Amino acid sequence: MADIQIQNLNKRYGSFQALHDMSLDVKDGEFIVFVGPSGCGKSTALKILAGLEAASTGSIIIGGEDVTELAPAKRDIAMVFQNYALYPHLTVRQNIGFGLMMRGTDKKQINQRVERAAQALEISDLLERRPKALSGGQRQRVALGRAIVREPQVFLMDEPLSNLDAALRVQMRAEITALQRRIGVTTIYVTHDQTEAMTMADRIVIMRKGVVQQIGSPDALFNRPANMFVAGFIGSPAMNFLRGKVQRDDRGLFADAGGLRLPVVEAAASYLGKTVICGIRPESLDLARGDAPALEITPTLVESLGTEAYVHFKLPGQQVATAVAGEHEHQPLGNGTLIARLYDVGTPLSGGTIRLGLKPQASVHLFDPATEQAIS
Amino acid sequence: MTDLTQPRPVTAPVRRSSGLFGIDLASPRHARKLGYLLLLPAVLLILGILVYPMLLAIEISFHDVKFATLSFGASDYTLKNYVKLFTSSDFWNAIGVSAKLLVVVTSISMLVGLGAALLVNQQFRGRGVARMLIALPWAIPEVVAVITWLWILDASFGVLNWMLLKLGVIGLPISWLNQPLPAFSAVTMVMVWKGFPFISIMILAGLQSIPEEYYQAARVDGANVWKRFIWITLPCLMPVLGVSLVLTVLWVFRDFSIINVLTGGGPVGATETLAIMTYEEAFSFFRMGYASALGVVTLIICALISAFLVKKTSHAVF
Amino acid sequence: MKRKLWQSILLYATVIVACAVVLFPVYWMVVTSLQPPGSLRAYPPHFLPPDPQWQTYIRLFIETDILRWMANSAIVAVTATGISMVAAVLAGYSLSRYQTKSSENVGLFILMSKMLPATMLIIPLFGIMRSLGLMGSLWSLIFAHATAIVPFATWMLKGYFDSIPNELEQAAQVDGCTPWGALFRVILPVAAPGLAATSLYGFVLSWADYLFARTFLANNADSWTVNLGIATFKGEYQTDWNLVMAASLLAALPIMIAYLFLQRFLVGGMTAGAGK
């Protein structure tokens, strides 16, 4: 177990810069998630950490030792791959024990440790099978077993859950988190799924186009996104962005977004009279009560999920379309659509107009329209 | 739950130093060097036994020599061999025979190969055995195949003549190897028999890699068998067909053993290809300079044909 | 889609006729080898030997050197295949995994070398082998065959390696293997079917060679390979077709058997590198 320092890491493929000056300090035992759409450099960073690719410049220090030039075998790390990369010609037992065997551990001890790991992952009865005879979830467990049995300094996981179906993914997510907490090995986990990042990480490193956007706890990223990309990436459904003019009246500073009065932080005072981008999470919207200032909208689509409903609507001229980012980053589609996430709506919503207002405690995130950085 | 957080067991100490010339090839920094190192044995073999002789052959072709020399610039350079070549009627005859054989054997082999592959790609019991048997000639050495065919084609007691007489195709036994057209036909027959299985094997693998969904989708769209073949099977097979075509063309153009043992190039040059002529000039008449010039011309033609074919079938990764 | 009865019958009939036509020469080899010379001149010919004679084979072993020729062929084929497999495995692996612009060029170069006409190369090779004192030695053949096998074998193996995910040896390296260790402990065992198919290809190519054997070995009857032996032998025993066919059958037998066992790997292997 060890801490990790990543210092000014750069990776260039010809003229393409896959990783731009990445620096990160990971504390011993921390669970770090690299998240971002594909092509953001998260997997490249992980491969460089593993020693599977060379850094162009910069260095990596694991447990106080500079490993930048070391072969993967000498870094005392374990890795779980997206496709599990189980050795098809070996049994589960041999797969899990392979790393120990390569390090010259004696047979008896290998067996003991393999069986202990298998027990912990509840795959003891699969030990004599070959990977071909396993289900996806079982393969996933074997891959985890292969990592934990070595008791390495660092776990590296490259989208380990993306090949599982949704239900299993939720279950394995919890199991991996619990396992990591229990054995306390420093872990770096790569994913494109913000839900995984939010639920598993101690700290999240969110990346885009090779550049780290923000590093922080899930709460920090959700509540204080550093820029529009982070704000739009974290949270589902994604944050709505509206244009608003900063104004001041007797009740204080606010942004006027198409009839909606959005209270804003004092830091926005320098934007007085100018247009800013206001980020409002779908959860922050609610049906307006009485005669409070509200948005008059006509839903284009209402998705009802039982206890909640997603109301899609458009505000021409007011809304700001941003790149939609999940696994892949898409270009903004036309004007896109805004979403309100409403709970416990009694009456049907389709047809006719509804009035949306801001929830009392909801916060509004402000962004500079030019730099897309948060105003705070 | 088992306790995994017990004292960290001692793992073997990690080795530090290692590698060739103090370079640790396992280090990510040196991965590319390892890549080149791995290519070395193959490249050395090819340089030593293919490229060096090729350069020598080109060198020799510009000298008026009876035997092969092993150094460059040992005697005066001359274009004599090439002049003689292009004014020789034997050479043009060989070009003609080679071209004729190329077109005839390649087209028949491709058709037969495609047909055989499509046939054994059908669903039927015993398909595995049929696949195995229909490509068996590939595994039979050319010399053995030719000798067997010599017996089948035997003018007096050969079984082929008997069959053709019985079927009424011919009135009199054919002396297959003593007349130009029958000799050419005999060469074609043997080459097709020996050559189509390889094409079948390639095409069969190509057929198996076409996703079944394409056919289902086409069926839903109302395409009949013929349309499915034209619009799905053929386009999907293009890469494989391209590679097979190039390999077959090169084989027909350069093969020596079949013709040498079957007809020796005869009668009266009717089956004398460039390959046969080259070998004869070199090792029967010991005109190695002249023979090398023939070889160089063969090489250039091969290169042109395959460049052309590769371009035409550019999907092929070649 | 169920086939109609007449379609099934037609299909089976076509398959049987096709196989019969293709296999007839092999069958004819067997039938001829089992008849005495006199019976071979019968009209109409016997499609089943009336009185199978195994003496032909005994005569073959006594009167000719066929066993030695086969042994020579086996030595050459095994050694040449072995050497070329080492080179081709390494080169194919490198081309599959360390693909950079320049290694692509090397790959192209390896394939181009398949284009060189053997009848041209043999002229300088004849001189080279003579100056090395390898004329009449099996080594001359071994090197020539090994080099002839390498280009296509490299290509086949590259295709196989391409089908094995990169992560497999990355996992092995993280698990403590050197790149070599990952290749030998993980990639090669996984690629075993590909290795089998490629070896078969190499073995068949070497065993079938006539051109190089005839040129390098003609003057030393002790080192003749089976093809060279049979071709010469056929010249001597012009009319003893039963003996010639028996020898031919023996010469073809080893690779026919190897083919029957490895055929299923071959189908995938040939085109492994051909299309994506």
Side-chain angles (χ1 to χ4, degrees):
Chain A
M1 279 163 265
D3 51 358
I4 306 171
Q5 280 95 44
I6 298 173
Q7 294 169 347
N8 306 97
L9 211 55
N10 277 285
K11 177 69 180 177
R12 269 179 297 277
Y13 297 101
S15 62
F16 173 67
Q17 181 120 22
L19 204 57
H20 196 94
D21 216 24
M22 178 184 193
S23 291
L24 175 71
D25 274 355
V26 182
K27 292 192 285 288
D28 187 5
E30 212 175 359
F31 196 118
I32 297 281
V33 173
F34 291 178
V35 71
S38 68
C40 74
K42 57 190 193 296
S43 292
T44 307
L46 196 74
K47 289 218 166 101
I48 295 174
L49 274 174
L52 296 168
E53 286 202 34
S56 299
T57 60
S59 53
I60 291 162
I61 294 155
I62 298 178
E65 183 189 11
D66 188 334
V67 299
T68 319
E69 300 292 321
L70 281 189
K74 299 176 185 169
R75 295 187 179 198
D76 199 12
I77 48 169
M79 188 156 171
V80 178
F81 294 84
Q82 180 172 3
N83 59 6
Y84 317 135
L86 300 181
Y87 310 122
H89 62 299
L90 301 180
T91 62
V92 168
R93 179 187 296 279
Q94 290 165 322
N95 259 285
I96 299 178
F98 188 81
L100 294 173
M101 193 182 79
M102 291 317 298
R103 284 175 163 72
T105 314
D106 72 58
K107 271 226 174 77
K108 230 175 88 188
Q109 213 195 343
I110 295 181
N111 260 331
Q112 268 175 13
R113 286 169 70 174
V114 168
E115 267 154 33
R116 208 167 60 221
Q119 238 168 49
L121 291 161
E122 296 165 16
I123 48 172
S124 298
D125 48 338
L126 305 178
L127 282 176
E128 308 313 324
R129 294 209 200 158
R130 281 181 203 279
K132 213 190 274 178
L134 302 179
S135 69
Q138 290 168 333
R139 286 180 201 186
Q140 173 65 67
R141 283 165 195 272
V142 176
L144 282 173
R146 197 167 62 180
I148 64 171
V149 76
R150 292 236 322 273
E151 305 184 18
Q153 297 204 61
V154 177
F155 282 156
L156 304 176
M157 303 198 185
D158 190 2
E159 311 227 7
L161 302 183
S162 59
N163 284 1
L164 299 179
D165 61 51
L168 201 50
R169 201 178 308 162
V170 173
Q171 185 195 341
M172 287 308 292
R173 200 163 77 195
E175 279 193 36
I176 291 179
T177 317
L179 187 72
Q180 195 270 344
R181 300 271 189 273
R182 198 164 71 236
I183 55 184
V185 173
T186 315
T187 301
I188 296 189
Y189 184 107
V190 163
T191 182
H192 61 262
D193 180 351
Q194 61 95 20
T195 315
E196 275 175 35
M198 294 296 282
T199 51
M200 301 176 85
D202 291 326
R203 278 195 299 157
I204 296 173
V205 177
I206 179 166
M207 303 170 74
R208 183 197 198 189
K209 293 179 180 165
V211 181
V212 172
Q213 304 289 312
Q214 190 173 0
I215 301 174
S217 68
D219 279 348
L221 261 60
F222 188 82
N223 294 321
R224 294 183 298 282
N227 56 38
M228 278 176 72
F229 175 77
V230 176
F233 192 89
I234 301 287
S236 172
M239 188 184 279
N240 300 305
F241 296 104
L242 298 171
R243 259 184 214 94
K245 201 170 219 177
V246 181
Q247 292 170 348
R248 194 189 286 277
D249 66 3
D250 49 350
R251 284 155 64 195
L253 208 58
F254 73 99
D256 175 24
L260 195 61
R261 186 185 197 278
L262 303 171
V264 300
V265 290
E266 200 52 41
S270 55
Y271 287 83
L272 197 61
K274 292 184 198 153
T275 301
V276 293
I277 293 172
C278 311
I280 306 170
R281 293 209 178 271
E283 299 83 356
S284 301
L285 293 169
D286 205 350
L287 292 174
R289 276 166 234 290
D291 54 353
L295 289 170
E296 294 266 350
I297 58 124
T298 312
T300 54
L301 173 70
V302 177
E303 294 173 306
S304 178
L305 282 76
T307 58
E308 52 184 318
Y310 294 174
V311 178
H312 295 242
F313 61 99
K314 296 196 186 241
L315 277 182
Q318 217 63 48
Q319 66 191 54
V320 180
T322 53
V324 185
E327 179 170 7
H328 303 286
E329 192 172 339
H330 300 282
Q331 288 305 307
L333 277 167
N335 275 325
T337 163
L338 301 171
I339 299 180
R341 186 179 189 175
L342 306 180
Y343 297 90
D344 303 320
V345 185
T347 48
L349 293 168
S350 44
T353 60
I354 55 175
R355 289 161 42 86
L356 289 177
L358 203 62
K359 281 186 187 168
Q361 301 306 315
S363 56
V364 175
H365 305 269
L366 294 191
F367 304 94
D368 184 307
T371 64
E372 301 195 347
Q373 296 297 311
I375 301 168
S376 57
Chain B
M1 190 53 70
T2 325
D3 183 20
L4 283 160
T5 55
Q6 34 180 262
R8 209 171 132 68
V10 195
T11 29
V14 183
R15 279 175 304 146
R16 271 291 108 127
S17 71
S18 61
L20 201 62
F21 312 120
I23 298 173
D24 180 3
L25 285 168
S27 162
R29 184 78 56 203
H30 303 295
R32 190 168 300 180
K33 286 177 195 128
L34 181 65
Y36 286 114
L37 194 69
L38 294 177
L39 283 174
L40 205 62
V43 170
L44 281 183
L45 264 183
I46 288 173
L47 281 178
I49 303 190
L50 293 178
V51 175
Y52 171 57
M54 176 190 78
L55 296 176
L56 270 182
I58 295 172
E59 161 86 13
I60 298 165
S61 74
F62 288 104
H63 293 294
D64 183 17
V65 288
K66 290 215 165 315
F67 285 94
T69 47
L70 297 184
S71 55
F72 295 92
S75 59
D76 294 335
Y77 289 94
T78 167
L79 284 176
K80 214 174 124 189
N81 294 321
Y82 289 95
V83 173
K84 185 173 156 200
L85 194 69
F86 289 112
T87 52
S88 144
S89 62
D90 287 348
F91 169 71
W92 292 109
N93 172 60
I95 292 268
V97 171
S98 295
K100 224 164 42 174
L101 202 65
L102 190 70
V103 172
V104 174
V105 174
T106 309
S107 46
I108 299 179
S109 300
M110 291 292 289
L111 284 179
V112 175
L114 179 62
L118 289 173
L119 184 63
V120 295
N121 196 43
Q122 302 295 316
Q123 289 285 349
F124 59 89
R125 209 175 302 171
R127 174 167 84 159
V129 177
R131 277 183 184 174
M132 193 184 269
L133 293 180
I134 208 141
L136 186 69
W138 175 77
I140 294 173
E142 290 183 344
V143 170
V144 170
V146 170
I147 288 176
T148 309
W149 276 91
L150 277 173
W151 168 225
I152 292 173
L153 295 168
D154 189 272
S156 324
F157 308 107
V159 67
L160 186 63
N161 272 343
W162 179 82
M163 284 182 190
L164 294 177
L165 283 169
K166 220 38 187 174
L167 292 170
V169 179
I170 54 173
L172 286 169
I174 297 184
S175 177
W176 286 98
L177 304 177
N178 294 333
Q179 301 157 18
L181 187 61
F184 188 83
S185 315
V187 169
T188 304
M189 234 179 322
V190 179
M191 286 194 105
V192 169
W193 184 74
K194 189 66 191 92
F196 89 86
F198 178 78
I199 301 171
S200 276
I201 294 173
M202 300 272 287
I203 293 178
L204 199 53
L207 284 173
Q208 286 167 10
S209 71
I210 303 177
E212 184 56 34
E213 288 81 6
Y214 290 8
Y215 291 103
Q216 287 162 357
R219 216 169 259 169
V220 171
D221 289 343
N224 60 23
V225 177
W226 178 244
K227 285 219 171 95
R228 291 201 295 269
F229 176 74
I230 294 290
W231 293 105
I232 298 174
T233 312
L234 272 188
C236 289
L237 280 181
M238 272 328 275
V240 170
L241 288 176
V243 173
S244 322
L245 183 66
V246 173
L247 292 175
T248 308
V249 161
L250 289 176
W251 170 68
V252 176
F253 202 76
R254 300 176 310 180
D255 190 67
F256 168 78
S257 308
I258 290 180
I259 301 177
N260 177 269
V261 181
L262 193 60
T263 64
V268 288
T271 57
E272 180 154 297
T273 59
L274 277 176
I276 298 290
M277 184 179 173
T278 310
Y279 195 86
E280 290 284 303
E281 290 294 343
F283 297 102
S284 300
F285 309 120
F286 291 100
R287 293 192 284 247
M288 299 244 177
Y290 184 53
S292 295
L294 272 167
V296 171
V297 172
T298 313
L299 171 62
I300 291 170
I301 297 175
C302 282
L304 290 178
I305 295 177
S306 30
F308 174 75
L309 288 179
V310 168
K311 208 167 217 173
K312 282 278 159 193
T313 59
S314 58
H315 296 294
V317 181
F318 196 70
Chain C
M1 286 277 282
K2 202 95 177 102
R3 225 180 258 116
K4 292 193 188 73
L5 181 66
W6 68 268
Q7 285 174 320
S8 290
I9 292 174
L10 188 69
L11 179 64
Y12 278 104
T14 318
V15 170
I16 289 168
V17 169
C19 284
V21 170
V22 168
L23 294 178
F24 180 77
V26 181
Y27 173 73
W28 205 235
M29 252 194 272
V30 179
V31 170
T32 307
S33 75
L34 294 178
Q35 298 179 53
S39 150
L40 293 175
R41 298 193 191 91
Y43 192 93
H46 298 293
F47 283 89
L48 278 174
D51 171 29
Q53 308 244 317
W54 297 96
Q55 291 93 306
T56 321
Y57 288 89
I58 295 162
R59 217 184 120 204
L60 192 67
F61 293 137
I62 296 170
E63 283 185 29
T64 71
D65 280 336
I66 182 125
L67 287 179
R68 177 191 299 198
W69 300 337
M70 287 185 66
N72 285 338
S73 279
I75 292 170
V76 170
V78 168
T79 320
T81 306
I83 292 175
S84 59
M85 283 301 284
V86 171
V89 160
L90 298 181
Y93 183 68
S94 170
L95 290 177
S96 168
R97 292 300 196 253
Y98 299 92
Q99 221 174 27
T100 62
K101 199 73 210 149
S102 37
S103 80
E104 268 172 48
N105 290 336
V106 177
L108 207 61
F109 160 79
I110 289 180
L111 272 174
M112 285 296 175
S113 59
K114 178 144 179 64
M115 247 161 43
L116 300 175
T119 42
M120 172 184 91
L121 292 178
I122 197 129
I123 299 168
L125 277 177
F126 179 77
I128 293 172
M129 293 302 174
R130 207 168 43 174
S131 76
L132 291 175
L134 290 180
M135 207 52 97
S137 147
L138 292 182
W139 281 107
S140 61
L141 219 53
I142 288 170
F143 282 124
H145 290 181
T147 314
I149 297 166
V150 163
F152 197 72
T154 302
W155 188 51
M156 280 175 78
L157 286 170
K158 175 190 176 293
Y160 258 105
F161 293 139
D162 283 346
S163 70
I164 300 174
N166 262 334
E167 282 82 4
L168 223 52
E169 69 254 53
Q170 293 182 345
Q173 286 189 40
V174 170
D175 264 346
C177 288
T178 59
W180 287 107
L183 174 60
F184 284 102
R185 287 172 178 276
V186 175
I187 299 303
L188 290 190
V190 174
L195 295 180
T198 314
S199 304
L200 173 66
Y201 164 81
F203 194 86
V204 168
L205 202 74
S206 171
W207 187 276
D209 166 68
Y210 173 64
L211 174 66
F212 288 105
R214 175 191 156 109
T215 314
F216 296 153
L217 305 179
N219 60 1
N220 180 5
D222 287 344
S223 66
W224 281 4
T225 57
V226 72
N227 284 316
L228 185 53
I230 289 177
T232 318
F233 166 76
K234 195 241 137 202
E236 290 170 17
Y237 292 76
Q238 201 60 264
T239 52
D240 286 352
W241 279 110
N242 55 338
L243 211 56
V244 176
M245 285 298 104
S248 298
L249 193 63
L250 279 179
L253 215 51
I255 46 177
M256 285 203 307
I257 292 171
Y259 164 81
L260 294 181
F261 278 111
L262 296 174
Q263 180 270 151
R264 63 205 170 93
F265 300 128
L266 201 65
V267 174
M270 284 287 185
T271 49
K276 289 279 139 66

